[in-house]
Amino acid sequence: MENKDLEAEIHPLKNEECKAIEGPAKCAEKEGGASRKSGRLSRWRTAAFFLSLFLCLLVVFAFSFIIPCPVRPISQRTWHRTYDNAATYTFLAVADVDKDRVQDVLFAFKAAAAGELNNAGQGFATPCAFVAAHSGTNGSTLWQRPVAKDLLWMDCSAEQEDSPACLLIGKPDFLAALDLETGQTLWQRAANFGANSTVLSPLLKVPDVSGDGVPDLLVFAAVGEEVSCFHSGKDGTQIGFSGSFRVPGRTGHLLQVTPAGAHYVLFRTGERGAFERRAAASWPKHPPLRDGSWPAGRPADSGDIHYLTKMPAKLGTNLLVARSSVLELVDGQHLAPTWMECQGLRPPQLRGTFSLQVMIVESRSGDIKWQVELSQGAWTPRPASLATTDHRSAFLFWGTYEGDTNGTVSREWRASCNPHLYLFHPSLPNVLLDMSSSTEPIAAFEGVLFERSRHACYVLLTGPRVGSAPGSIVLSKRKLKEDVVGSRVIWLSSLAPDTEQHVRERFLRMRYRSLR
């Protein structure tokens, strides 16, 4: 009865129309059916609401108490590992070996097999070359393997069947691939580089030559004149020779792709300060794609080439060429100069210690935005950089700043000084941070973000190099912020607009970002 009254109040006109057309009895019957139907729908809606609420609470409860959150590894800020009676190679790489989302460190050294360094079953005479992987969190050994009598080259950025791997070239002549996660040998193939040959770094990755759908490898070896050999990128099998040719005074090479898609190898020649190109060989099974519009080379006109590297461009890559007294950007598609910078550049002194000019150059115009001069030894490592969230980079480099001496230093003083690590960021153009120094010879150095967009550190490998008397080699990791706290602030101008503590705090507040 109450439902009927409620329906009449909600729809008074409807009730009157119903009574007028169908009569009171028929109308009352319809109203009763509608009320029962509405009641059933109301109960279904209530049940659906409480069921949805129960499911939501169940999901929240499961994620809060039952399903464990991923445990983030606790990384030590600083660690070091020492190998005694050993000598180190200059190979140093970082990769996530144990899949804990923290970068790990791989390096190579030569030592006698004893104790933990056991090469049983490998057939290598002692001492032999080892490759080791250490955890980025605490420096513990993930794996350690003897790989060769002597190691000539190593690259841990390769892939084998979509899995990360290290490619090795060693003596006696062979090419091998190691599984990055376990250190186990995936394949090893003998290589015929020739008697008394010297393998020339780097090994080049070229398009598929053998027709198996996998990019292949091109190795250059020198036996009086240079010989190039193709090896399968799938299993290391030697595919064939591309012939031999002479490039006098060769000091380096790299692979360049033309607008037509042709692959050429550029050789830089120190004797004439030029670079020449060669077609990336006569493919053993497929003819190479050639680009007739590409020049045969670039003659020297500004001194010997000391450094040659690729620079990203809108179309392909350009070439940054550092000569004795000229820095120039060369169009990688036509080998024509884009810009040339001569101001402020001086030829280096190649005996003992020499002056190092550290510069930041605008890549579009060649304008020098910032520069400083340091003293640097012959074996000082290359600089490193870490991208920051303000879309710039922090730079790390080794040397000795002489600004405090007013330039009145002797060669003996320079030779006796230990190299210092400096940190620079373009947001503070008048400041250098003197982070630390090393009393041991530096074999390799790298700036690393051990976790994605965080945990900025540097890795240092010190000790005697292969070819010297063995001693203690040390692999160490240090967090940048740890060294910033105790750093010395160097003002590059006489005007100091800020306090040293505030400068350190600005470096401590910097945030870093991963580029990939």
Side-chain angles (χ1 to χ4, degrees):
M1 188 65 183
E2 292 179 359
N3 290 336
K4 293 180 180 180
D5 295 339
L6 180 62
E7 183 71 18
E9 291 179 4
I10 296 174
H11 303 290
L13 296 179
K14 182 178 179 182
N15 290 337
E16 293 298 329
E17 291 176 358
C18 179
K19 291 178 181 179
I21 297 173
E22 301 181 3
K26 189 71 173 177
C27 185
E29 183 180 349
K30 283 189 175 183
E31 288 176 359
S35 298
R36 287 192 297 273
K37 185 177 180 181
S38 176
R40 287 195 299 270
L41 289 176
S42 178
R43 287 192 294 272
W44 278 111
R45 291 192 190 100
T46 303
F49 169 76
F50 281 107
L51 180 61
S52 301
L53 182 62
F54 174 76
L55 290 176
C56 290
L57 292 175
L58 184 63
V59 170
V60 171
F61 178 80
F63 277 97
S64 300
F65 302 102
I66 299 176
I67 301 176
C69 295
V71 178
R72 181 177 162 190
I74 300 176
S75 297
Q76 295 180 7
R77 298 179 178 180
T78 301
W79 54 255
H80 68 275
R81 294 295 176 265
T82 303
Y83 290 82
D84 295 322
N85 195 28
T88 182
Y89 296 92
T90 57
F91 308 124
L92 183 65
V94 292
D96 187 4
V97 175
D98 54 3
K99 302 302 180 184
D100 62 351
R101 293 184 292 182
V102 177
Q103 297 295 304
D104 305 303
V105 183
L106 300 103
F107 80 110
F109 62 96
K110 192 171 187 178
E116 294 182 358
L117 302 179
N118 186 9
N119 68 344
Q122 299 293 330
F124 301 126
T126 186
C128 62
F130 290 80
V131 175
H134 288 268
S135 169
T137 58
N138 55 23
S140 60
T141 303
L142 299 177
W143 54 261
Q144 187 173 265
R145 297 283 184 275
V147 293
K149 178 182 178 182
D150 197 8
L151 191 60
L152 303 178
W153 182 84
M154 181 174 81
D155 179 11
C156 290
S157 63
E159 286 191 354
Q160 290 291 313
E161 297 181 354
D162 298 327
S163 297
C166 287
L167 292 177
L168 310 175
I169 297 178
K171 285 187 176 181
D173 292 347
F174 73 88
L175 183 66
L178 301 183
D179 185 278
L180 193 66
E181 296 182 17
T182 64
Q184 298 296 329
T185 302
L186 298 175
W187 50 257
Q188 180 171 326
R189 296 288 182 270
N192 183 20
F193 298 135
N196 301 319
S197 62
T198 302
V199 176
L200 306 176
S201 180
L203 176 149
L204 300 179
K205 300 171 186 177
V206 298
D208 181 26
V209 173
S210 58
D212 59 3
V214 179
D216 293 312
L217 308 172
L218 179 59
V219 183
F220 288 97
V223 190
E225 56 185 22
E226 302 191 7
V227 179
S228 55
C229 308
F230 285 98
H231 290 262
S232 168
K234 186 175 183 179
D235 58 10
T237 303
Q238 187 166 322
I239 302 170
F241 290 94
S242 66
S244 61
F245 47 88
R246 182 179 294 276
V247 182
R250 188 214 71 91
T251 58
H253 61 272
L254 53 80
L255 189 69
Q256 184 72 354
V257 183
T258 71
H263 290 72
Y264 284 86
V265 179
L266 284 178
F267 293 92
R268 75 174 189 263
T269 55
E271 290 184 359
R272 296 180 295 165
F275 45 91
E276 299 182 356
R277 59 94 167 167
R278 302 271 181 172
S282 300
W283 307 133
K285 294 187 179 181
H286 302 281
L289 176 64
R290 297 180 182 272
D291 189 346
S293 65
W294 222 51
R298 174 92 188 281
D301 52 10
S302 305
D304 295 346
I305 294 177
H306 294 287
Y307 186 68
L308 175 66
T309 188
K310 291 184 178 183
M311 296 285 291
K314 290 183 178 179
L315 297 175
T317 56
N318 292 333
L319 305 172
L320 182 66
V321 183
R323 301 180 184 271
S324 300
S325 56
V326 172
L327 183 68
E328 65 175 324
L329 186 70
V330 177
D331 183 355
Q333 307 306 317
H334 305 96
L335 296 189
T338 301
W339 52 255
M340 185 178 295
E341 178 59 53
C342 306
Q343 185 177 2
L345 295 177
R346 297 196 306 273
Q349 302 170 5
L350 298 179
R351 294 182 179 179
T353 59
F354 56 92
S355 296
L356 168 71
Q357 290 175 282
V358 181
M359 297 183 295
I360 296 178
V361 180
E362 172 61 48
S363 61
R364 293 182 180 178
S365 62
D367 295 337
I368 297 176
K369 298 297 184 181
W370 180 86
Q371 64 178 328
V372 68
E373 187 169 325
L374 306 173
S375 293
Q376 187 182 47
W379 297 108
T380 303
R382 294 189 182 278
S385 64
L386 294 171
T388 53
T389 53
D390 60 356
H391 298 283
R392 290 184 279 192
S393 294
F395 298 92
L396 295 156
F397 44 86
W398 290 86
T400 304
Y401 180 68
E402 301 177 6
D404 299 336
T405 62
N406 297 321
T408 57
V409 295
S410 63
R411 183 181 296 274
E412 290 74 16
W413 180 87
R414 290 177 177 175
S416 64
C417 284
N418 297 322
H420 288 243
L421 176 63
Y422 297 100
L423 175 63
F424 171 78
H425 191 269
S427 63
L428 296 167
N430 294 323
V431 171
L432 270 184
L433 278 193
D434 186 350
M435 305 275 284
S436 63
S437 62
S438 175
T439 58
E440 298 296 327
I442 301 172
F445 163 76
E446 191 66 54
V448 182
L449 290 180
F450 273 84
E451 298 177 64
R452 185 167 182 80
S453 298
R454 63 186 309 275
H455 201 169
C457 303
Y458 66 88
V459 178
L460 192 62
L461 180 61
T462 61
R465 299 190 181 199
V466 170
S468 305
S472 294
I473 59 175
V474 179
L475 177 70
S476 59
K477 161 200 158 182
R478 288 191 63 85
K479 196 169 184 179
L480 277 185
K481 290 185 177 181
E482 295 297 306
D483 284 357
V484 168
V485 172
S487 64
R488 181 172 70 97
V489 177
I490 298 175
W491 299 101
L492 301 179
S493 64
S494 57
L495 180 63
D498 212 339
T499 64
E500 294 188 1
Q501 184 57 33
H502 188 249
V503 168
R504 294 190 190 96
E505 289 175 356
R506 288 190 61 178
F507 276 98
L508 289 172
R509 289 196 300 268
M510 281 185 185
R511 296 294 179 264
Y512 299 88
R513 63 187 177 94
S514 301
L515 297 179
R516 57 180 180 178

